[in-house]
């Protein structure tokens, strides 16, 4: 019985590695070609797998996008969990501004995220996925802002602060595509000041 469990575990681990590899290949194709121009066959070719084999892991391009969004959420939740575990939450949030800004100012990351948002404007299924993901992120951010606030803050104010933080960082993805030579050091200094103000640090 233990041997069977070990074999099943190896198969699950192998499948998870395959899924990650397919996602990485899909991300590269989506960035280069856009969602609509990309095909499952092209994703498969990038990864060195047959198109038919990819369907053992993802039944559509929409399913791949769903997995990409889920991976991003997992990374965000892991990061916020780290911050919540720190002795000084406000300091931890401010210290991670540079990291968050650099990620969103990365041209490739920005291109992919905006491609997903563009697809959400046309595809109701992707729109629902993106909105549900956003709700998860907003809720966690509200929790962080509540914990970091100096004194009680009503729920409407907490929600507004979370929206402002999201707007600041998500807006960077548009700015980096429109203005690639943006002064990052000056920008992040300003962002740190804004974050301090919003969380009361």
């Amino acid at each position: 019985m233990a041997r069977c469990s070990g074999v099943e575990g190896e198969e699950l681990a192998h499948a998870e590695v395959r899924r990650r590899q397919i996602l990485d290949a899909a991300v590269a194709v989506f960035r280069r070609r856009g969602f609509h121009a990309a095909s499952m066959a092209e994703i498969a070719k990038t990864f060195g797998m047959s198109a038919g084999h990819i369907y053992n892991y993802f039944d559509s391009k929409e399913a791949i996008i769903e997995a990409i969004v889920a991976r991003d959420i997992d990374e965000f939740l892991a990061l916020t969990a780290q911050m919540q575990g720190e002795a000084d939450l406000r300091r931890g949030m401010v210290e991670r501004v540079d990291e968050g800004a650099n990620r969103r100012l990365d041209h490739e990351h920005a291109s992919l995220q905006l491609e997903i948002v563009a697809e959400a404007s046309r595809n109701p299924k992707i729109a629902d996925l993106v909105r549900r993901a956003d709700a998860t992120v907003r809720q966690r951010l509200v929790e962080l802002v509540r914990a970091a606030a100096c004194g009680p803050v009503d729920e409407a104010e907490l929600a507004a602060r979370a929206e402002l933080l999201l707007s600041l960082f998500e807006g960077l993805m548009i700015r980096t595509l429109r203005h690639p030579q943006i002064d990052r050091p000056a920008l992040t200094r300003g962002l740190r000041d804004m974050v301090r103000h919003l969380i009361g640090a």
Side-chain angles (χ1 to χ4, degrees):
M1 192 72 170
R3 183 181 177 185
C4 290
S5 297
V7 170
E8 289 174 0
E10 289 178 8
E11 290 176 351
L12 288 172
H14 178 71
E16 182 56 33
V17 169
R18 283 291 195 195
R19 282 176 58 85
R20 287 199 303 267
Q21 291 171 333
I22 293 169
L23 286 181
D24 290 341
V27 164
V29 175
F30 290 160
R31 285 171 175 164
R32 184 173 67 250
R33 301 270 291 156
F35 181 78
H36 278 286
S39 67
M40 293 293 266
E42 186 173 3
I43 294 169
K45 183 178 179 181
T46 300
F47 177 56
M49 176 187 283
S50 70
H53 194 49
I54 282 187
Y55 286 102
N56 292 328
Y57 299 91
F58 299 100
D59 60 13
S60 65
K61 286 192 292 182
E62 285 84 358
I64 291 177
I65 285 185
E66 184 173 5
I68 291 170
V69 172
R71 185 166 67 176
D72 288 345
I73 291 176
D74 287 345
E75 290 175 358
F76 174 79
L77 294 179
L79 175 63
T80 55
Q82 288 177 6
M83 287 190 282
Q84 286 178 314
E86 293 180 1
D88 190 335
L89 174 58
R90 289 190 292 273
R91 179 178 178 181
M93 291 176 71
V94 173
E95 286 180 346
R96 284 178 171 81
V97 166
D98 290 33
E99 178 184 344
N102 286 332
R103 178 168 173 76
R104 284 154 186 81
L105 288 169
D106 177 77
H107 188 277
E108 290 188 347
H109 175 78
S111 297
L112 176 65
Q113 295 302 314
L114 293 176
E115 183 67 31
I116 292 173
V117 171
E119 181 59 21
S121 71
R122 299 181 291 260
N123 185 327
K125 183 177 179 181
I126 299 301
D128 180 64
L129 166 67
V130 167
R131 289 165 185 161
R132 283 187 285 112
D134 185 75
T136 298
V137 169
R138 278 186 288 112
Q139 181 57 40
R140 178 56 66 89
L141 197 52
V142 165
E143 293 169 3
L144 275 181
V145 174
R146 181 188 292 114
C150 297
V153 182
D154 67 59
E155 291 301 310
E157 177 64 19
L158 287 172
R161 292 184 188 184
E163 287 287 0
L164 284 168
L165 286 168
L166 288 169
S167 298
L168 284 171
F169 284 91
E170 290 181 1
L172 296 179
M173 294 188 291
I174 295 176
R175 295 307 306 155
T176 194
L177 295 179
R178 290 185 171 177
H179 184 196
Q181 291 77 37
I182 195 167
D183 186 339
R184 293 193 182 194
L187 185 69
T188 52
R189 285 196 298 272
L191 278 172
R192 284 195 295 272
D193 289 341
M194 291 179 184
V195 171
R196 287 191 186 96
H197 174 73
L198 286 170
I199 65 175

